[in-house]
Amino acid sequence: METYRIEDLVFSFPGQERETLSHINLTIASGEFITLCGKSGCGKSTLLRQLKTILTPHGERSGRIYFCGQPIEDMDQRTQASEIGFVLQNPDNQIVTDKVWHELAFGLESLGYDNATIRLRVAEMASFFGIHTWFHKSVTELSGGQKQLLNLASIMAMHPSVLILDEPTSQLDPIAASDFLETVKKINRELGTTIIMTEHRLEDILPLSDRLIVMEAGAIIAQGLPNQVGASLGDKKHPMFLSMPSPMQIQARVSAEPIAPITVKEGRQWLNAFLADKTAAPMPEGKENSKASAPAVIQFKDVWFKYEKNGTDIIKDLSFEVREGQFYCIVGGNGTGKSTTLSLISGLLQPYRGKILIGGKNPAKISAKELFTRNIGFLPQNPQSLFVKKTVELDLHEMLAQTPLSKEEKAEKIRSIVKFAELEHLLAMHPYDLSGGEQQRAALAKVLLLEPRVLLLDEPTKGLDSFFKEKLAVFLQKLNESGVTIVMVSHDVEFCAKYGELCSMFFDGSIITTNETRKFFAGNSFYTTAANRMARHIWTEGVTIEGVIELCLRSK
Amino acid sequence: MKDRFASFHPLVNFVYFASILVFSMVFMHPVLQAASLTSAVVYSIMLNGKKAVKFNLLYMLPLLLVAAVLNPVFNHAGVTILFYLKNGNPITLESILYGISAACMYVTVIVWFSCYNAVMTSDKFIYLFGKIMPALSLIFSMVLRFVPRYLAQIKVISNAQKCIGRDVTQGNLLARARNGMTILSIMTTWALENAIETADSMKSRGYGLPGRTSFSLFRFDARDQSVMLVLIGLIALVLFGALMGENTIRFFPSVKWLAVTPRSIAVYIAYFGLCMVPVIINVVEDMKWKRIESRI
């Protein structure tokens, strides 16, 4: 039986010539697990929103969509609300009420069920999702992962036959994300619910999917079993291939067989077979770290921090140094104090014991002007909180409003920043209308106008797809080469491994270990990149995809 | 300790507190006042422990004394003149008694409100009024969700602005005012932008369909029924007493109340019983538990 049948769907937004969706034909069988991927702005979300009429944006539409054989326009709102579940990106925005139990009941209240039915359904869902332990809590007490799980549960309480998820894990940390995906998998496997999902994090989700659909510029360019699609993208050297799991990328570049391993396990098996009649190439010597003798710009000496007098210590006995020109990454789990450390560096918070020196001075003692102009730049986790004006251009000008520069000098400065961050075509837009990656770049440009010597980044890759990540990395490397010291806090192990120079592992309020990136990841066996997990039994220091590919190619 | 009365249905809690608060304000009869004040103090200590003792002794006792002393200084009505003040105004027994009585009433109501706050949490209140107006209960719930959320977001924005030297705590007075306005303006944009997704989430879960119901975790069970019956019975007795004039007292020009008869004693007992309902429930449940525990 089919859940959806889409016939020749064309959609364009009002006033736009370009077709956002062009001639989509798709049949989705009941119980299928479908993953939809593609660059940001390729029309994935627009396509998903066509599948539930109440969320469909205004615009020109032609073609037909059938839900269980019935045209979707003919379905009444009540059936759609209960039959088609829709989970959105931001966990916080979707929660409407103040208590977990009330949120679970929200949809059922709307559908007008009586108390006894709601009680049963809510109890069932709470048990299925393991929510019963925090059933009575306020939603503000929940973590991001719990919030998204709650959103999922409150939709599942209405017993939908199809579940549509629009990048549900983009705002979650890796552990919470894989928990969430496990639950989605459980729903698909144990309840037979059809799943249609868009996702950037393909490593975790491809092993679960029945079908992978790749979109580009509003059209479906490939679909089929994940490894078949992966292999065909690899053959065409399509840019989307860079979002595929590491084992698949390594295999495709090393050998021509159409195997396309998806998981680390499959990757390992392939690698062992590949190297069976070869001798593994030796690791190349790593180059010595030349910046180790540069002067320290950030120094922490036995720093302790807590939020309240009787609260627990967030930062415990933390000591580390960042030297000029380094690209320093801090990785570690949620709530270990990584972001707090950045706030301490920028003087937003102050330690109750120990010393922090920024360029030899205490950040809490120097004036904000001295600290934040030509000294420290901080890009917060949510770039939206930096924008203040109607357009990107005005926003950049606002940054220089209080400086004593002449009009021409300001214009010149902004021109060069705009060119650097590639914002030319976005200048007239409202900052909130930009995509995640563009917002990140505009915010970065804003911070860069203050000409920081040290740039602090809090989760800069959150919610970005692999293309925007790549772009961001290019900017960061350019900045780093021009002498800017970069300190980055991130969950994104792959990103840190590829671009970082030094890495630190943060745990329980302190740094456990710091090392040069390659050695750092070689020393971890679990908290490391997929490429490393796949190849570490042969090359412990093969950390990045490129590194492992090179080693494979050199093996004779 | 955990209050057992709070675990009853919100309607039981509400009927109890509504009647007690009204009665304590209206009935000035000394016996009833004493009953109400004692129960209020005992229950508040049961609920809030040491904090309540401190509150009662440190704030309520002085308040009671001050109010009792101040009334006769300004109020000179009454027939029993005790002595004259220097300016020639009389101090009367009636005005002293009235002062004590009014102060007692005042303190009693405040202490009852401290109990009310501990027992009637926001979700119980929302539930009760949601029964009358379902839309209102959702609005309450959303307010409780979004106010803390917006406050947290203002903090995030303020921190982000601080790092580019644009916070309300930075610069001269004019710059601070301007920065404050900017932060509020970002906050508004942010709230409107994010509200779109909230609206999508609500619509997608069928909000706006006719026939919305209001779910709650509360159930009116047999235990609630029996306590409710007891409450109604006692309230009826007290109201009967009020009708007969048993519960009131006249202060001016001279103090006068009805003579004590078996009927009035019955009303006194009913009133005291009503005031002590939560305390009795707590004590009985406690004893029951101890007995069960000793058998394990």
Side-chain angles (χ1 to χ4, degrees):
Chain A
M1 209 186 102
E2 61 184 30
T3 302
Y4 275 111
R5 195 169 78 243
I6 302 170
E7 289 175 356
D8 198 36
L9 180 70
V10 178
F11 179 82
S12 53
F13 281 104
Q16 278 190 5
E17 287 287 310
R18 198 171 63 91
E19 288 170 352
T20 309
L21 297 174
S22 64
H23 307 284
I24 304 259
N25 283 295
L26 190 63
T27 309
I28 295 166
S30 170
E32 246 189 319
F33 192 129
I34 289 190
T35 305
L36 202 60
C37 72
K39 257 181 170 175
S40 291
C42 71
K44 291 176 300 206
S45 299
T46 316
L47 176 59
L48 291 191
R49 282 177 177 263
Q50 301 290 332
L51 302 179
K52 183 157 179 159
T53 53
I54 197 146
L55 297 178
T56 307
H58 291 286
E60 287 286 321
R61 206 190 91 181
S62 68
R64 317 218 69 180
I65 301 174
Y66 298 94
F67 181 79
C68 295
Q70 189 189 8
I72 196 155
E73 303 82 32
D74 298 351
M75 281 173 76
D76 65 354
Q77 291 308 332
R78 191 172 294 271
T79 330
Q80 279 199 32
S82 69
E83 284 295 307
I84 307 171
F86 208 108
V87 179
L88 302 153
Q89 208 178 90
N90 188 318
D92 255 313
N93 287 347
Q94 294 172 69
I95 296 177
V96 179
T97 61
D98 62 328
K99 288 280 194 303
V100 170
W101 62 263
H102 199 177
E103 190 64 25
L104 280 174
F106 182 84
L108 299 168
E109 286 181 334
S110 302
L111 295 176
Y113 284 102
D114 60 36
N115 242 318
T117 319
I118 298 181
R119 189 178 288 271
L120 171 66
R121 294 258 193 112
V122 162
E124 260 189 332
M125 280 307 130
S127 319
F128 186 82
F129 286 91
I131 286 174
H132 50 278
T133 47
W134 34 281
F135 186 67
H136 287 280
K137 276 196 181 172
S138 271
V139 289
T140 41
E141 294 169 52
L142 307 182
S143 69
Q146 286 177 321
K147 280 180 187 158
Q148 195 66 308
L149 213 55
L150 172 61
N151 287 324
L152 182 61
S154 73
I155 283 160
M156 288 311 293
M158 297 192 285
H159 294 184
S161 63
V162 53
L163 189 58
I164 301 171
L165 305 106
D166 190 3
E167 292 182 20
T169 64
S170 68
Q171 303 296 317
L172 308 183
D173 64 276
I175 307 282
S178 60
D179 266 359
F180 183 84
L181 294 177
E182 267 312 304
T183 312
V184 174
K185 178 184 163 192
K186 192 174 159 194
I187 290 171
N188 178 249
R189 206 182 40 205
E190 294 180 10
L191 305 175
T193 311
T194 314
I195 310 275
I196 307 167
M197 180 162 180
T198 62
E199 190 53 67
H200 290 318
R201 219 186 295 251
L202 292 172
E203 308 243 341
D204 290 334
I205 191 157
L206 283 192
L208 318 176
S209 324
D210 297 322
R211 184 147 49 121
L212 176 65
I213 296 174
V214 185
M215 281 182 72
E216 191 180 31
I220 292 174
I221 55 164
Q223 58 169 312
L225 287 172
N227 50 2
Q228 286 171 358
V229 171
S232 83
L233 285 179
D235 283 346
K236 287 185 225 153
K237 303 238 175 333
H238 194 272
M240 241 343 264
F241 191 62
L242 288 179
S243 328
M244 293 295 142
S246 311
M248 197 188 271
Q249 291 190 46
I250 294 171
Q251 188 270 337
R253 296 264 294 278
V254 172
S255 74
E257 306 158 77
I259 308 169
I262 291 171
T263 59
V264 168
K265 177 179 130 187
E266 289 171 19
R268 244 181 203 227
Q269 286 165 346
W270 165 80
L271 188 62
N272 289 339
F274 176 74
L275 291 174
D277 50 353
K278 299 181 181 73
T279 40
M283 279 301 297
E285 282 298 308
K287 52 178 188 291
E288 275 307 302
N289 195 349
S290 54
K291 288 165 193 159
S293 56
V297 280
I298 300 171
Q299 284 172 288
F300 271 56
K301 284 181 194 156
D302 313 328
V303 170
W304 291 73
F305 174 81
K306 58 189 172 188
Y307 279 100
E308 291 144 16
K309 193 177 161 215
N310 297 323
T312 48
D313 289 313
I314 309 294
I315 301 291
K316 295 177 191 164
D317 196 16
L318 173 63
S319 303
F320 73 101
E321 272 182 4
V322 181
R323 296 185 178 278
E324 202 169 283
Q326 280 182 332
F327 193 143
Y328 196 105
C329 301
I330 300 175
V331 297
N334 244 4
T336 48
K338 300 191 307 291
S339 297
T340 311
T341 307
L342 286 190
S343 299
L344 284 166
I345 297 176
S346 56
L348 291 178
L349 302 171
Q350 288 172 36
Y352 72 94
R353 197 185 295 150
K355 236 187 210 163
I356 300 172
L357 296 174
I358 306 298
K361 290 178 190 165
N362 182 350
K365 294 256 169 68
I366 39 183
S367 74
K369 213 172 163 195
E370 194 185 335
L371 186 61
F372 294 119
T373 43
R374 308 228 163 92
N375 196 357
I376 286 193
F378 182 36
L379 187 64
Q381 201 175 111
N382 182 355
Q384 285 187 348
S385 52
L386 274 180
F387 301 127
V388 294
K389 291 284 186 233
K390 275 200 285 275
T391 67
V392 175
E393 192 172 14
L394 288 175
D395 220 310
L396 292 174
H397 274 287
E398 197 269 347
M399 235 13 223
L400 294 176
Q402 288 163 20
T403 52
L405 296 173
S406 72
K407 239 183 188 156
E408 289 75 40
E409 282 173 315
K410 283 183 189 171
E412 180 49 41
K413 249 182 130 178
I414 287 170
R415 225 183 346 263
S416 67
I417 280 289
V418 164
K419 192 159 169 264
F420 175 78
E422 296 176 17
L423 295 171
E424 290 94 344
H425 58 295
L426 306 171
L427 282 178
M429 281 172 67
H430 192 284
Y432 278 67
D433 290 339
L434 308 182
S435 74
E438 291 164 347
Q439 277 184 356
Q440 196 73 260
R441 256 156 49 209
L444 189 62
K446 227 183 142 175
V447 173
L448 288 181
L449 280 176
L450 293 172
E451 299 172 22
R453 291 189 306 115
V454 181
L455 187 60
L456 309 177
L457 304 163
D458 193 356
E459 299 279 358
T461 59
K462 198 175 194 180
L464 301 193
D465 67 12
S466 51
F467 306 95
F468 278 116
K469 270 189 207 170
E470 203 88 349
K471 222 165 194 175
L472 181 72
V474 172
F475 293 126
L476 294 182
Q477 281 181 325
K478 263 198 247 172
L479 280 174
N480 195 225
E481 275 157 25
S482 68
V484 177
T485 313
I486 295 176
V487 180
M488 181 170 96
V489 156
S490 184
H491 285 304
D492 195 333
V493 174
E494 313 282 335
F495 191 80
C496 293
K498 205 162 168 189
Y499 305 105
E501 186 182 327
L502 274 181
C503 274
S504 285
M505 172 87 173
F506 218 95
F507 178 73
D508 194 26
S510 189
I511 286 178
I512 301 296
T513 168
T514 304
N515 214 332
E516 193 248 318
T517 304
R518 218 172 65 177
K519 290 192 184 122
F520 173 83
F521 286 110
N524 298 348
S525 49
F526 179 74
Y527 209 84
T528 180
T529 61
N532 186 247
R533 271 179 279 142
M534 174 180 147
R536 67 177 294 112
H537 60 300
I538 298 166
W539 300 292
T540 34
E541 292 192 13
V543 170
T544 58
I545 296 174
E546 290 74 17
V548 174
I549 290 172
E550 202 210 310
L551 286 165
C552 284
L553 291 175
R554 284 201 291 119
S555 300
K556 288 278 158 358
Chain B
M1 91 178 240
K2 204 165 152 43
D3 183 46
R4 303 314 312 172
F5 182 64
S7 68
F8 279 82
H9 194 271
L11 190 64
V12 177
N13 294 160
F14 186 76
V15 166
Y16 171 76
F17 279 112
S19 60
I20 284 294
L21 283 167
V22 170
F23 289 169
S24 298
M25 275 184 254
V26 176
F27 301 149
M28 301 283 268
H29 194 282
V31 176
L32 300 192
Q33 269 195 335
S36 181
L37 183 59
T38 342
S39 335
V41 169
V42 170
Y43 189 36
S44 79
I45 291 170
M46 226 170 211
L47 282 171
N48 298 329
K50 253 190 214 147
K51 228 172 65 198
V53 178
K54 210 172 116 192
F55 176 77
N56 290 339
L57 287 180
L58 218 61
Y59 299 108
M60 291 301 105
L61 199 62
L63 185 70
L64 195 141
L65 293 177
V66 169
V69 169
L70 277 183
N71 185 58
V73 178
F74 296 103
N75 183 351
H76 308 294
V79 289
T80 325
I81 293 163
L82 297 175
F83 57 89
Y84 287 92
L85 288 174
K86 274 212 178 95
N87 60 9
N89 277 324
I91 293 290
T92 63
L93 179 67
E94 284 80 11
S95 72
I96 291 178
L97 290 178
Y98 180 72
I100 294 172
S101 175
C104 249
M105 182 269 278
Y106 195 56
V107 167
T108 309
V109 170
I110 292 179
V111 177
W112 275 129
F113 262 112
S114 77
C115 299
Y116 173 90
N117 269 336
V119 173
M120 287 296 283
T121 47
S122 62
D123 51 330
K124 288 186 185 175
F125 186 78
I126 290 168
Y127 164 73
L128 281 179
F129 286 85
K131 283 272 161 204
I132 308 165
M133 269 192 260
L136 198 68
S137 94
L138 181 66
I139 288 171
F140 265 127
S141 184
M142 288 179 73
V143 166
L144 286 174
R145 155 101 185 103
F146 285 100
V147 169
R149 190 164 172 228
Y150 288 169
L151 289 178
Q153 183 62 21
I154 283 193
K155 185 92 193 139
V156 169
I157 294 172
S158 152
N159 274 343
Q161 294 293 317
K162 207 182 238 170
C163 288
I164 50 172
R166 300 269 203 281
D167 191 39
V168 274
T169 56
Q170 291 162 330
N172 58 29
L173 200 64
L174 195 69
R176 282 174 191 224
R178 202 169 42 220
N179 294 341
M181 286 307 291
T182 312
I183 289 175
L184 281 185
S185 129
I186 308 174
M187 183 61 216
T188 318
T189 318
W190 180 89
L192 291 174
E193 183 73 22
N194 286 282
I196 297 173
E197 210 170 277
T198 308
D200 275 347
S201 152
M202 289 172 75
K203 277 190 295 186
S204 123
R205 282 186 283 164
Y207 185 73
L209 293 173
R212 189 183 154 80
T213 51
S214 171
F215 173 65
S216 77
L217 294 174
F218 304 111
R219 216 164 61 85
F220 201 84
D221 56 17
R223 194 171 67 120
D224 295 311
Q225 263 172 33
S226 49
V227 172
M228 195 68 176
L229 282 178
V230 170
L231 282 183
I232 289 172
L234 291 174
I235 291 170
L237 260 172
V238 173
L239 285 178
F240 167 74
L243 210 63
M244 295 291 125
E246 295 284 1
N247 304 354
T248 40
I249 177 171
R250 194 194 72 183
F251 283 101
F252 303 108
S254 59
V255 177
K256 189 178 173 223
W257 67 74
L258 288 184
V260 178
T261 58
R263 192 182 71 190
S264 61
I265 287 175
V267 173
Y268 299 158
I269 291 174
Y271 189 68
F272 190 58
L274 179 65
C275 290
M276 289 300 251
V277 162
V279 176
I280 293 167
I281 288 173
N282 274 331
V283 170
V284 168
E285 296 245 340
D286 203 31
M287 270 159 42
K288 246 193 209 162
W289 178 248
K290 285 217 174 95
R291 208 174 59 225
I292 294 168
E293 212 176 24
S294 67
R295 278 193 205 149
I296 296 171

